[in-house]
Amino acid sequence: MTKSAALESMTGFARSAGLSGARSWAWELKSVNGKGLDIRCRVPSGFDELEVAARQLVSKSFSRGNISISLSLAAGEGAVRYSINTDLLRQLVEVAKEFEAGDNVFDPPRIDSLL
């Protein structure tokens, strides 16, 4: 009966990349020899759960080494970079016109302050 053991030490580099919808992603893992296990993980804001899972996976396979894990995300060419609620913008412009026409102590609102 053979027993699966964690690797003791490793120096290496790995990269895996792909596309999901209009976003591309890439995981990179770098490791160098070390006496203990030191895992450093960098993921974009909002992906903290992936960091926890990545640390757990690495700690199951390695017992020592300095290991850096990073996830990078990028918008693809077809990705929408912004969205404007045109109905709301029209309503705000109408309200701004009402303020301009009335007697008030405020400066007239500008379109850039409405966004």
Side-chain angles (χ1 to χ4, degrees):
M1 182 174 175
T2 60
K3 182 179 174 185
S4 175
L7 295 174
E8 291 296 320
S9 178
M10 179 184 167
T11 299
F13 174 82
R15 185 173 200 280
S16 180
L19 188 65
S20 178
R23 296 201 178 268
S24 63
W25 54 268
W27 281 102
E28 287 188 355
L29 188 137
K30 301 173 187 175
S31 67
V32 294
N33 290 335
K35 290 184 179 183
L37 181 60
D38 180 23
I39 302 170
R40 296 180 185 171
C41 192
R42 293 179 55 162
V43 295
S45 179
F47 289 85
D48 301 329
E49 291 181 25
L50 288 178
E51 178 178 350
V52 172
R55 285 178 178 273
Q56 289 174 347
L57 285 171
V58 168
S59 64
K60 287 180 183 178
S61 299
F62 298 93
S63 62
R64 48 184 291 202
N66 297 319
I67 300 171
S68 297
I69 307 164
S70 66
L71 171 63
S72 59
L73 301 174
E77 289 185 23
V80 175
R81 301 196 187 279
Y82 61 88
S83 175
I84 296 176
N85 184 336
T86 54
D87 292 333
L88 178 60
L89 182 57
R90 284 188 186 103
Q91 290 174 15
L92 292 172
V93 168
E94 289 302 315
V95 169
K97 287 178 184 177
E98 290 175 18
F99 273 96
E100 288 176 4
D103 292 328
N104 58 58
V105 295
F106 302 107
D107 289 334
R110 297 186 331 251
I111 191 82
D112 61 333
S113 64
L114 297 175
L115 296 174

